[in-house]
Amino acid sequence: MKKYSIDHKTFPHSAIIDGGGKDSRKEAAFETASKLFCVTGVGCGTCNQCVKIKAGSHPDFFYIDEDSLKVDQARSIIKNAYTKPSEADFKFFIIDNAENMRVEAQNALLKAIEEPQNAYFVFLCENHRALLQTINSRCQVFSLPSEGENIANKQIADMAASFAPAFAGELALTEFFVKASELPRNVFPDFIFMCKQETYKLILSQPHKRGQFLSIYDHFDKLSEELVYNPNLFTLSLSTAASVWEIYNKDI
Ligand SMILES: [Zn+2]
């Protein structure tokens, strides 16, 4: 499964990580912190800074996982943020379950995230819209792909391997596209993109079918347009299989 990675070099002092699952959000935040604290700057996982973060014993790193953060807890975080870091040049705060923070706690944290200081604040939640607009406007949002999308992307990657063999016969090609119709609709554009990439590879590996594959390539562009209007992926996939097969067997 593709690991989501955030560029730590441009990481802002206030951020929201949403989407994905609870574990993947936490993992992305810990990974980013690790890269920022790491003595080698890559989040090596073995230096004393990385090890302390993983163990939860770094004096400048705080992972707060409260069910619903209250205003006095928010105030103690702010107080902490304004005191000098012990080992690093900055402190790093991760606030998990951010969507459950009390409104007063969110308002209290506003002050800390808008004033420049040596602290990072990362809020983890399912959907950034659950946080106050005032928090949102001061944070950069990083949205992780959902678990479902991750699985679908893996399916698409697997399907890429059976694209070229599907040209063995009309039945194989139909089966290939019927399988595609079972993909979630929101990842279907990625499927079409994969088909185009694979078609391009076929142009290079089977130059005698160049004309046919170029037409098939164009057909995938049309398919992207049709996807907008055609609500039924199954019908769309079947008609695509038929058209692609017809083009493949044309004399061009
Ligand atoms: Zn390290």
Side-chain angles (χ1 to χ4, degrees):
M1 198 177 284
K2 186 177 154 283
K3 216 171 151 199
Y4 189 86
S5 191
I6 293 170
D7 185 3
H8 65 291
K9 292 187 195 84
T10 55
F11 196 68
H13 277 261
S14 311
I16 297 170
I17 300 178
D18 73 355
K22 187 174 162 74
D23 290 343
S24 56
R25 292 192 289 269
K26 186 178 167 185
E27 197 184 334
F30 269 62
E31 197 192 85
T32 308
S34 216
K35 285 179 188 164
L36 288 164
F37 281 107
C38 178
V39 295
T40 65
V42 292
C44 68
T46 52
C47 73
N48 68 344
Q49 298 290 296
C50 286
V51 168
K52 281 181 185 174
I53 284 170
K54 222 189 289 171
S57 62
H58 197 295
D60 300 320
F61 176 75
F62 305 89
Y63 172 65
I64 300 127
D65 189 16
E66 288 292 333
D67 267 345
S68 57
L69 193 83
K70 295 174 191 68
V71 70
D72 52 329
Q73 292 169 310
R75 289 204 184 106
S76 77
I77 291 171
I78 297 166
K79 207 170 148 202
N80 183 351
Y82 281 98
T83 56
K84 233 171 142 263
S86 344
E87 281 188 24
D89 300 330
F90 57 87
K91 291 188 177 187
F92 198 102
F93 297 88
I94 298 172
I95 298 169
D96 209 337
N97 295 316
E99 64 266 60
N100 297 336
M101 280 192 290
R102 297 288 175 83
V103 170
E104 311 84 66
Q106 295 191 46
N107 278 322
L109 284 170
L110 270 184
K111 185 174 142 58
I113 63 175
E114 69 190 355
E115 285 176 9
Q117 56 182 301
N118 295 333
Y120 288 90
F121 285 94
V122 184
F123 300 98
L124 309 184
C125 58
E126 227 169 275
N127 188 326
H128 67 96
R129 288 188 190 89
L131 297 178
L132 288 182
Q133 177 49 36
T134 39
I135 296 262
N136 268 287
S137 63
R138 287 162 178 83
C139 292
Q140 190 175 333
V141 179
F142 297 88
S143 291
L144 308 188
S146 73
E147 310 275 299
E149 275 172 331
N150 270 333
I151 294 167
N153 287 337
K154 165 113 184 25
Q155 270 178 298
I156 292 174
D158 290 344
M159 286 176 83
S162 53
F163 183 80
F167 284 90
E170 192 172 4
L171 188 65
L173 201 65
T174 305
E175 276 171 7
F176 175 83
F177 280 100
V178 166
K179 209 171 144 200
S181 70
E182 287 157 12
L183 289 167
R185 193 177 175 86
N186 61 335
V187 296
F188 209 77
D190 295 330
F191 166 75
I192 297 174
F193 182 73
M194 178 279 282
C195 289
K196 284 169 68 176
Q197 280 181 312
E198 293 302 311
T199 304
Y200 188 73
K201 282 189 210 161
L202 287 174
I203 296 173
L204 301 176
S205 67
Q206 298 183 34
H208 60 286
K209 284 272 189 187
R210 190 171 190 277
Q212 286 87 340
F213 283 128
L214 279 176
S215 298
I216 291 170
Y217 190 94
D218 289 341
H219 191 79
F220 285 127
D221 278 335
K222 270 183 238 147
L223 182 60
S224 302
E225 289 162 27
E226 273 179 52
L227 185 64
V228 180
Y229 303 105
N230 197 323
N232 190 325
L233 283 187
F234 185 72
T235 323
L236 189 63
S237 296
L238 272 189
S239 72
T240 304
S243 309
V244 167
W245 186 248
E246 194 191 313
I247 300 168
Y248 181 71
N249 289 297
K250 256 189 198 165
D251 285 325
I252 295 176

